[in-house]
Amino acid sequence: MDDLSRRDWLGTAGRLAALAAVGGSELRDPEVAGAQPRSADALVGTLKAARLFDLSFTWNDQSPVLGLNPPYSFALNRTHKMTHEIFGQAPGSRVSWASEIMFFSGQHGAPTIDAIGHIGRDLKLYGGVDAVAATSSPGGIGAGLGIDSFPVDLMISRAVFLDVARHVSGGRPDPLPPGFEITAKHLDDTLGAQAVDVRKGDTLLIRTGWGPLFGTDNAKYLGEQSPGPGPDAAKWIIAHGVRLAGDDTATFERRPAAYGKELFSVHMMLLADSGIYIVENMNLEPLSAARAYTVALVVTPLKIQGATGSPLRVIALAP
């Protein structure tokens, strides 16, 4: 597919966000510029013609969870045998069902997204909101900074995938070394090598190559030496007007996440200072294998009032 048609396709996918915000009126109004396709059938056809990439891992009780968070648990509390014995024995009834109980923190998932109010700097949240006041109730983060306030128009976005690990390793799919700090130069160099551009409002996905460790080597994946962006790369992300940034590690930023005495500088720079969402634990291997560097990304957090984050099922669409 040539560059023009690729841009057209991504433009169509990008307009889905606007449709969600205005109730689909663009599909009905022929006067709205650039509103193709103009029918639900045509829109579905466009999307069905795309390559679809699932950027999620399977979440189970063997998945890595940072010790700072509550543990994950899942169990069936009703099986089909149990419910059939209760409800399926009535005259004429043949029904059975299963149900489960789940316990998890919004701060882990595969992937997981951080709400803007998840991180503060000097007890201030994004926009200068008092962090103490905003979390004074166990009902969740206030001031519109919980995950329930995730913008509708960001649920579908143009995303640029930078395969930093492959670029650094000279084209091989090798992971970055432990503790490797991704800088602005790494992002610029990868951007140039892939011949893509980052525009204001885009989502940025960064591959470190550590995704395959998820569930296979949890100790290394959760350890204190994972690669990721440092403050220099965070400044690049902010300067380029990115609205959401994600990668394939447990903490997004390089670990140990300490610069002098300051802890988790990148989280503070993106969330608390700039209002940029962070996604962690992404499976970026499918995009790397396909060399899909510009995609339409679908991110839909659970709408939980005041939550500090949410597990996700993230998909990417490419021409």
Side-chain angles (χ1 to χ4, degrees):
M1 181 173 288
D2 60 34
D3 290 341
L4 178 59
S5 57
R6 186 179 297 274
R7 288 196 297 270
D8 289 344
W9 187 93
L10 289 168
T12 296
R15 281 191 292 275
L16 290 174
L19 295 177
V22 300
S25 61
E26 282 191 9
L27 292 179
R28 300 189 298 271
D29 185 355
E31 299 302 319
V32 177
Q36 297 292 339
R38 298 174 189 247
S39 73
D41 287 348
L43 179 60
V44 171
T46 298
L47 297 177
K48 286 290 189 180
R51 292 179 293 163
L52 187 147
F53 303 92
D54 186 352
L55 306 187
S56 306
F57 292 106
T58 298
W59 191 248
N60 57 38
D61 59 4
Q62 300 302 310
S63 298
V65 178
L66 286 168
L68 298 173
N69 297 312
Y72 168 90
S73 67
F74 171 99
L76 291 175
N77 70 321
R78 295 287 187 272
T79 67
H80 281 279
K81 181 178 185 297
M82 294 166 63
T83 57
H84 188 264
E85 289 176 349
I86 298 171
F87 298 98
Q89 303 303 313
S93 175
R94 292 182 280 181
V95 71
S96 66
W97 68 82
S99 59
E100 72 277 336
I101 295 175
M102 291 183 286
F103 177 77
F104 58 90
S105 162
Q107 281 311 306
H108 57 70
T112 185
I113 186 169
D114 291 343
I116 296 300
H118 170 52
I119 292 287
R121 182 191 291 275
D122 296 324
L123 290 180
K124 294 293 182 183
L125 304 181
Y126 177 63
V129 172
D130 186 303
V132 175
T135 54
S136 61
S137 165
I141 301 172
L145 298 178
I147 201 61
D148 52 312
S149 296
F150 185 77
V152 172
D153 70 311
L154 196 49
M155 291 182 179
I156 303 175
S157 66
R158 178 182 186 268
V160 175
F161 167 60
L162 294 185
D163 199 342
V164 174
R166 188 180 289 274
H167 179 68
V168 169
S169 64
R172 298 183 304 278
D174 303 353
L176 293 175
F180 186 96
E181 180 177 338
I182 296 173
T183 66
K185 187 177 188 308
H186 293 123
L187 299 180
D188 273 327
D189 289 350
T190 307
L191 201 70
Q194 296 179 184
V196 293
D197 63 327
V198 174
R199 306 169 190 168
K200 184 177 181 180
D202 279 354
T203 290
L204 181 70
L205 307 179
I206 302 170
R207 177 177 174 268
T208 71
W210 277 47
L213 297 174
F214 185 100
T216 63
D217 189 344
N218 289 348
K220 185 174 181 178
Y221 185 79
L222 297 175
E224 289 293 329
Q225 292 294 321
S226 58
D232 186 54
K235 292 176 183 176
W236 187 99
I237 292 169
I238 295 166
H240 280 74
V242 168
R243 294 181 66 193
L244 184 152
D247 74 7
D248 52 358
T249 70
T251 58
F252 181 74
E253 64 184 284
R254 180 192 70 92
R255 297 183 74 192
Y259 297 86
K261 294 182 178 181
E262 187 170 272
L263 301 177
F264 288 97
S265 297
V266 172
H267 273 70
M268 288 192 290
M269 292 170 71
L270 297 187
L271 292 168
D273 300 344
S274 308
I276 298 171
Y277 289 90
I278 294 174
V279 176
E280 299 154 336
N281 300 314
M282 301 188 80
N283 179 13
L284 298 177
E285 297 307 296
L287 294 183
S288 179
R291 307 295 207 275
Y293 300 135
T294 310
V295 299
L297 194 73
V298 181
V299 175
T300 54
L302 298 175
K303 199 171 185 180
I304 303 173
Q305 182 174 327
T308 64
S310 170
L312 302 170
R313 184 68 178 268
V314 178
I315 62 172
L317 300 168

